[in-house]
Amino acid sequence: KPLCETASQTFLGRVPDIVSSGSEKEKERIAKFSLVQKHNEFEEEIYDVALNMSITGSGFLNIYNDIGDSFPRYRSLNPLYTNVVYDCSVAMKRLFAYHIYFENNPNGGKYVCIIYTKTKMFAFYTPQISIPSKMAYDVYPLNLFLINGMEQTNVTYHGYSDIPIIEFINNKQCISD
C-alpha cells in the first residue's frame, strides 16, 4: 500500500520527500538532490505525464541536459507524436524512441523528428512547408518523413547510457481511463 500511495502522489505532482537514516553528509546530498529536482520542474512534468496517461493510455518523460548542466532536466512529451519502439522478443527490449515536433519560422516551418538510441540522438527534418500543409499533416506527421525526402542534419551523443525517453503505461491494454 505505501508504494501505491507514493506512486499516486508522484503522478499527482507531489513528489514525496526522500528520507535518509544515513550521516549528515548523506542527508545534505539528498536535500540538494530534492531541491535541484524541484528547480528543474520534475513535479510539473511528471504530472503532465500522468495526465497524458489518463487521456491517451501512455505518457512519455524525456530526460535531457542543457549545455553546462550537471543534473538532468525533464520534459513531458506529447504522446500523439512520441513513441518507444521495442523488439519482437519475449523480453521486449527497447530499440529506440522518437519524438516529432513542428519548428516554426516566418514562412511556415518544418517538422523535426528526433530519434533516440541508447547513446545517440539523430535529427531529421522535413522540407519547408506552409501552415495550411502543416495542418493537413497534424494527424500523423511521420508520413512527411516517409514520402517527402527528409534530411538528416545532426547526430549527437546524448550522454546517457540508455534511451532518455521513459514510457509510462496507464494499464496493460495501454488505454485511457
Side-chain angles (χ1 to χ4, degrees), residues 43-57:
E43 293 174 346
E44 291 84 3
E45 296 301 330
I46 201 72
Y47 176 81
D48 287 345
V49 168
L51 182 62
N52 286 332
M53 284 173 30
S54 177
I55 295 169
T56 65

Side-chain angles (χ1 to χ4, degrees), residues 82-93:
T82 308
N83 207 352
V84 176
V85 178
Y86 297 87
D87 69 6
C88 295
S89 69
V90 175
M92 290 184 60
K93 295 178 184 171

Side-chain angles (χ1 to χ4, degrees), residues 6-176:
T6 301
S8 296
Q9 285 180 350
T10 300
F11 281 122
L12 289 172
R14 294 187 300 260
V15 177
D17 290 331
I18 301 171
V19 179
S20 171
S21 59
S23 67
E24 279 301 313
K25 190 173 183 177
E26 288 173 337
K27 289 179 183 179
E28 286 176 22
R29 283 182 49 205
I30 290 172
K32 184 179 177 184
F33 173 83
S34 296
L35 185 63
V36 172
Q37 193 175 30
K38 187 171 188 67
H39 174 72
N40 287 351
E41 300 177 349
F42 177 75
E43 293 174 346
E44 291 84 3
E45 296 301 330
I46 201 72
Y47 176 81
D48 287 345
V49 168
L51 182 62
N52 286 332
M53 284 173 30
S54 177
I55 295 169
T56 65
S58 62
F60 298 91
L61 184 69
N62 182 228
I63 301 169
Y64 69 98
N65 283 42
D66 277 342
I67 295 173
D69 283 349
S70 60
F71 194 86
R73 296 176 184 262
Y74 311 94
R75 179 73 56 219
S76 171
L77 301 175
N78 185 339
L80 298 177
Y81 304 118
T82 308
N83 207 352
V84 176
V85 178
Y86 297 87
D87 69 6
C88 295
S89 69
V90 175
M92 290 184 60
K93 295 178 184 171
R94 299 180 329 147
L95 296 174
F96 65 91
Y98 68 86
H99 174 64
I100 299 171
Y101 63 93
F102 190 74
E103 194 173 82
N104 286 308
N105 62 40
N107 300 325
K110 54 189 165 185
Y111 278 101
V112 181
C113 180
I114 307 292
I115 297 177
Y116 299 88
T117 65
K118 287 186 180 274
T119 57
K120 296 179 184 176
M121 297 169 32
F122 299 85
F124 295 92
Y125 296 85
T126 63
Q128 181 76 22
I129 60 173
S130 65
I131 294 298
S133 296
K134 176 209 180 284
M135 293 168 63
Y137 284 101
D138 271 350
V139 176
Y140 199 64
L142 192 57
N143 286 338
L144 272 172
F145 294 95
L146 302 174
I147 60 176
N148 275 356
M150 65 178 171
E151 65 178 80
Q152 177 183 343
T153 58
N154 294 332
V155 178
T156 302
Y157 288 96
H158 52 63
Y160 296 101
S161 60
D162 202 357
I163 299 167
I165 292 181
I166 302 166
E167 180 178 24
F168 295 90
I169 297 174
N170 194 32
N171 49 47
K172 285 184 180 182
Q173 291 79 27
C174 201
I175 57 174
S176 61

